Every structure is written in structure tokens, then in C-alpha cells.
Amino acid sequence: MSVWSVCFLLVYVLSFQGIVNGDEKKCDFFKGRWVWDDSESNQMYTGLECPFINNGLNCQKNGRPDNTYLNYRWQPHSCSLPRFNGEEFLVRNKGKKIMFVGDSLSSNQWQSLVCMLYNHARLIIPSIIHGGSISTVSFPEYGVSVMYLKNGFLVDIVVEEKGRVLKLDSISRGAKWEEADILIFNSYHWWIHGGQLKTWDYYRVGDMLYKDMALMDAYRIALTTWAKWVDSNINPKKTQVFFQGISAVHYEGKDWGAPNIKNCEGQTGPIQGFRYPGNRYPGEQVVKDVLQKMKNPAYLLDITLLTQLRKDGHPAKYADGPMDCSHWCLAGVPDTWNQILYTVLLKD
């Protein structure tokens, strides 16, 4: 081994001792604040360079005039996150399948990750395949596939004689999940849709059909069904399981203590500090309760606070469609979710 190789290895080991200048035992990746960082090292890719970004998330391409939202870095309390290294990620996960399963926020994170990897693998031409509800970007030199499988409820939804029915205690489409080596699940935003966006009419549990049920009760039953499925069907020695926490929306300024602001439109900076002035989401505790009861608990990517603080990170009117204060510009906030995912995977 050369002197330079030894030096590189030493720096690498030291950088992760305590997760980069911090005490790992005290480090909570999800408690911190956003700090200004306009250095080139904080720019992992741009929306103009990555070919995998949906039009509705490509704020730069759609003419957003400011770029300040790109110049903030998430700073946990007692440590710093290591810089994302795409080549390291691909090498460590050689031959693996990485699958995001969930709603459009899962897709948001999936697009972010493939752009981060593409930026570090420009000499390789990745392929993208869309087939039904699944999309796959492959990096053939490494044998790595990064997939997104659309499934916003995780449990089954079927059409019966009475209408559209959410079967809260049934999962019949999990076979694809078993093929993955790394699974990142998500489910929340479809549950809180109302009006024309609501996609079900009834709930079913066993033989019982319900027209009405407290939303968080239904969500808890469904997540418990998912958790039991994972415990029964996923081998933790082969597959790592993550759950993407609840991503914030910013449709009403009063939610963050600014009643005179209508929504996320025109916001150019995050909420300063370590605390969000508004309420937490009721689904947060449901997710934590269900995960704690799993035989092999999924790792919670607890992104709620770090997204609540980023009222400036949404496409807003640059979404190539209706006002969007729910999804996230790419490049942007979801890159931090993947930076944390990368850090957690490196620790194992």
C-alpha cells in the first residue's frame, strides 16, 4: 500500500470517528439548523445538468430567479455530515438494488439520489427504464440499480361494488420489495388528501367495511400491517430498511408564525434557528410508535423538522403546473435526506 493510500485511509477513518468532528453518541442527524454555505463543495449538481428530474421539480429550468435556496447546508447539533461521495456510494453498494417505495415524496428523494450519483459518474452512461409503476436508473459499471416504485398507501386499494376500498390489513403487492437490498419506504401525503384528490371511498379491515374512520387510526392500522409484513418477509441480514418520515408542506404562513404570508411563494430563506414555531404533524408519533414495535425496526429518516424549516425550498409557481408548496426543488432539500442516508449506510 502506497503512502498516499495510507494517508487517504487515515483521513477517511478519522472523518467518521464521531461522524466528522463530533461525538457519534450525541449526534442526532435530525436536530439542527440550516446554515449559509455557498461554497462549491455544497453544490452536488444542478437542475440544468441532471437529466432525471421531473419538470415540476426542476426550479432552475422553470425560471426560478433566485438561487439562495441552493446555498444552505443542514448542520446537526453535535456533528457535521460527511460530504456525499457518489463513487464511494456506488462502490460500497456494488451489485445492489436500492428501492424507494411510496408516494411522490419518495420519487422526489429517488430523483435526488440518482442526480447525486450521476454527478459523480459522468463517464458512465446510466440507463433509465419506466415500466408501469416502477422506474429504474442503472449504473452498469457498478451493477447498481436505483428504483422508484409508486405505492402511496403501502397497503392494498381495490375497487369493489361499493367503490374504492383501502384494505388496511392487506398487502398483496410486496413481491417486488423482496428483491431489494436497500428499501426506503414512505407513506403519508396520500392519506391526508381530501376533496377531488382523495382516492378512496371506504376502509376495510377483515370483513368489516367502514365509511368513516378517524384518519390517524386508519393510518396506524395500515402502517402496522406494513411493519408486520416487513418483519415477516424481509431478511434483515440481507436487506436494510428505512422509512422516510413526514415531509413538511408550507401552504399557510400562519403555520410558521407568519399570518400575513399566504404560502411558500416568494420565500427565499429558511426559518432561522433550531425550532419550528408551528405544530407537529399527528402522523409523526404514529410512525414512531409503529417502528418501535417492529421486531427489526426500520431506520427512521426523521426529516420533518429539517423540512419544516425550509419554507423556501418548494417549487411554488415554478412547478410547471399549479402552486406547489409540498414537493421540493431539485437540486435542493432532498439532497440532505440522501446525505443522511449515505452517512447511515457508511456506518454499517
Side-chain angles (χ1 to χ4, degrees), residues 46-50 53-67 69-70 108 111 265 313-324 327-331:
T46 73
L48 301 177
E49 296 170 336
C50 182
I53 303 174
N54 289 347
N55 284 339
L57 305 177
N58 202 329
C59 302
Q60 290 170 288
K61 184 178 178 181
N62 292 337
R64 179 167 173 170
D66 72 292
N67 63 0
Y69 68 98
L70 297 171
N108 217 160
Q111 292 172 60
E265 171 59 25
H314 301 287
K317 69 179 182 181
Y318 302 101
D320 194 33
M323 177 67 62
D324 188 348
H327 301 93
W328 303 92
C329 294
L330 293 178

Side-chain angles (χ1 to χ4, degrees), residues 280-307:
R280 307 295 283 182
Y281 294 106
E284 290 180 75
Q285 194 58 50
V286 174
V287 170
K288 291 176 181 177
D289 289 345
V290 170
L291 265 56
Q292 286 173 358
K293 293 177 182 177
M294 293 178 71
K295 182 171 62 178
N296 298 295
Y299 186 100
L300 176 60
L301 293 171
D302 193 5
I303 61 172
T304 305
L305 175 62
L306 69 87
T307 55

Side-chain angles (χ1 to χ4, degrees), residues 34 45 69-70 112 247 303 306-307 310-314 328-339:
W34 290 96
Y45 64 94
Y69 68 98
L70 297 171
S112 163
S247 174
I303 61 172
L306 69 87
T307 55
R310 289 304 303 271
K311 56 186 173 58
D312 60 315
H314 301 287
W328 303 92
C329 294
L330 293 178
V333 173
D335 302 334
T336 296
W337 312 351
N338 286 317
Q339 191 178 9

Side-chain angles (χ1 to χ4, degrees), residues 227-273:
K228 290 179 178 178
W229 188 97
V230 170
D231 275 338
S232 298
N233 294 277
I234 298 298
N235 180 357
K237 294 181 180 179
K238 172 188 177 292
T239 303
Q240 292 172 275
V241 181
F242 295 81
F243 193 92
Q244 181 204 92
I246 295 169
S247 174
V249 301
H250 294 92
Y251 282 105
E252 297 187 55
K254 64 181 179 61
D255 290 344
W256 64 87
N260 294 326
I261 294 176
K262 184 177 180 181
N263 51 38
C264 68
E265 171 59 25
Q267 299 300 301
T268 57
I271 295 169
Q272 296 299 315

Side-chain angles (χ1 to χ4, degrees), residues 25-77:
K25 293 181 180 178
K26 295 180 181 179
C27 185
D28 185 338
F29 301 139
F30 306 104
K31 292 181 179 179
R33 62 192 178 99
W34 290 96
V35 298
W36 179 260
D37 185 352
D38 59 356
S39 64
E40 288 189 10
S41 63
N42 192 43
Q43 307 293 322
M44 286 178 272
Y45 64 94
T46 73
L48 301 177
E49 296 170 336
C50 182
F52 304 112
I53 303 174
N54 289 347
N55 284 339
L57 305 177
N58 202 329
C59 302
Q60 290 170 288
K61 184 178 178 181
N62 292 337
R64 179 167 173 170
D66 72 292
N67 63 0
T68 53
Y69 68 98
L70 297 171
N71 295 325
Y72 286 93
R73 171 174 51 82
W74 178 246
Q75 179 62 59
H77 277 316

Side-chain angles (χ1 to χ4, degrees), residues 180-241:
D181 301 286
I182 299 170
L183 281 163
I184 306 98
F185 290 96
N186 151 265
S187 182
Y188 187 69
H189 279 247
W190 283 17
W191 292 90
I192 59 174
H193 284 165
Q196 293 182 344
L197 293 176
K198 185 180 177 182
T199 54
W200 75 96
D201 305 302
Y202 294 90
Y203 303 103
R204 181 179 290 284
V205 181
D207 294 330
M208 299 298 295
L209 193 67
Y210 302 90
K211 178 64 175 176
D212 297 304
M213 182 184 294
L215 187 59
M216 287 300 103
D217 289 345
Y219 184 56
R220 185 182 295 272
I221 295 169
L223 275 194
T224 300
T225 299
W226 163 83
K228 290 179 178 178
W229 188 97
V230 170
D231 275 338
S232 298
N233 294 277
I234 298 298
N235 180 357
K237 294 181 180 179
K238 172 188 177 292
T239 303
Q240 292 172 275
V241 181

